[in-house]
Amino acid sequence: KLNHANGQPFTVSSETANLIQEGIHYSELSGGAFDLTIESVSALWNFKADKPTVPSSDAIAQAVSHVDYTKVDIQDNTVTLEDPEAGIDLGAIAKGYIADQVKTYLKKQGIKHAIINLGGNVDVIGTKPDGSKYNIGIQKPFDESGEAITSVQLKDQTVVTSGIYERYFKKNGKLYHHILDPHTGYPYDNGLISVTIISDRSVDGDALSTTCFALGLKKGLAFAEKKGVQAVFITKDYELHYTKDFQKKIKVSQVD
């Protein structure tokens, strides 16, 4: 409804307002590499179609002109999209937010040990009943069997992965994936195939996995370190790259 309000102020729930505020926060932090107003672009790409197609360059250029997080005004629970053609897409952070809410709910119910798995977002409560940490696998990109390329041990944290192997199609030998560049309207092509973030909040992991992927290997690693989270980047040669103190804080095991 907000996206179809034609630029008029629209009142949303406090939860939606908070989530939009999170989106604006990460849009600002990343300098627009992550932009919650990418809906006009993401709406052009249908990765679930029987025969996916690449949108026309004119359509993409038109859509990109409406991507600008600075034109989202939010006052309490009232949100205004100053560009009537703009649209908000919370797909990159909503799942993390939901995982956090599930975790909060379960803890209030007295749950002390649990794994919340939303596919790409895994959140754990406490430790295993025997006191040991949970061993969470990070999927090997493009492996149809779901094989892990490595695993991390967690206690009361969350692990979130964004990768180009989740939703994609090939056209004329070129791979097109769902992590779209807000500035060009096309999928990022920066040598990365996956970014995994280990953090305390899943909404942070969600936003940061997308943001760090968008920034590329060098800037992405630096950004993760600046934000105080641990990260694993996988490049197209299937090499694993870690934040500086990853090995000290997170026990990790290579999978052959």
Side-chain angles (χ1 to χ4, degrees):
K1 290 180 178 179
L2 169 62
N3 286 347
H4 294 87
N6 297 314
Q8 296 301 308
F10 186 80
T11 300
V12 300
S13 69
S14 57
E15 280 194 319
T16 302
N18 289 339
L19 192 51
I20 290 172
Q21 198 69 63
E22 291 273 9
I24 292 172
H25 172 67
Y26 277 102
S27 298
E28 290 173 343
L29 275 181
S30 67
F34 171 101
D35 194 314
L36 82 163
T37 62
I38 200 171
E39 193 274 339
S40 58
V41 172
S42 57
L44 294 177
W45 295 85
N46 185 358
F47 293 94
K48 295 182 179 179
D50 292 335
K51 294 183 178 179
T53 58
V54 179
S56 71
S57 56
D58 288 345
I60 287 178
Q62 176 67 18
V64 166
S65 69
H66 299 296
V67 178
D68 186 353
Y69 68 90
T70 66
K71 293 183 179 178
V72 179
D73 180 71
I74 181 164
Q75 303 293 333
D76 296 322
N77 289 0
T78 300
V79 183
T80 305
L81 302 182
E82 296 172 358
D83 177 354
E85 299 298 316
I88 283 177
D89 183 345
L90 297 173
I93 56 174
K95 194 189 289 186
Y97 178 82
I98 292 165
D100 289 333
Q101 302 312 304
V102 172
K103 187 174 188 176
T104 298
Y105 171 77
L106 290 176
K107 282 187 168 183
K108 285 181 178 177
Q109 302 305 308
I111 302 298
K112 293 181 170 56
H113 316 279
I115 297 177
I116 302 158
N117 185 356
L118 302 186
N121 292 61
V122 177
D123 208 343
V124 304
I125 295 176
T127 62
K128 294 180 184 179
D130 66 4
S132 62
K133 292 183 178 182
Y134 291 99
N135 195 47
I136 307 297
I138 296 174
Q139 186 176 336
K140 183 178 182 180
F142 297 107
D143 187 89
E144 293 182 3
S145 67
E147 179 188 339
I149 193 170
T150 189
S151 65
V152 294
Q153 295 196 356
L154 300 184
K155 172 187 175 183
D156 211 35
Q157 283 188 301
T158 179
V159 54
V160 180
T161 299
S162 290
I164 69 173
Y165 56 89
E166 294 165 334
R167 293 195 296 278
Y168 69 93
F169 64 87
K170 290 182 179 179
K171 204 77 174 178
N172 299 323
K174 183 175 176 61
L175 187 146
Y176 296 89
H177 60 82
H178 78 289
I179 306 178
L180 304 170
D181 185 340
H183 301 112
T184 68
Y186 290 91
Y188 279 102
D189 185 10
N190 56 13
L192 291 175
I193 53 179
S194 153
V195 172
T196 297
I197 301 290
I198 292 95
S199 57
D200 293 330
R201 294 199 313 161
S202 198
V203 68
D204 294 332
D206 228 352
L208 286 169
S209 64
T210 303
T211 300
C212 290
F213 188 103
L215 292 172
L217 180 60
K218 188 175 179 180
K219 289 183 178 178
L221 279 171
F223 190 75
E225 288 164 2
K226 180 181 176 182
K227 295 305 296 176
V229 299
Q230 302 303 323
V232 183
F233 287 60
I234 304 177
T235 45
K236 285 184 178 179
D237 56 7
Y238 284 83
E239 287 291 317
L240 277 62
H241 307 262
Y242 302 95
T243 38
K244 285 179 183 176
D245 56 352
F246 190 98
Q247 303 287 359
K248 292 180 184 176
K249 295 191 174 181
I250 307 288
K251 188 174 181 181
V252 60
S253 60
Q254 190 75 29
V255 177
D256 293 328

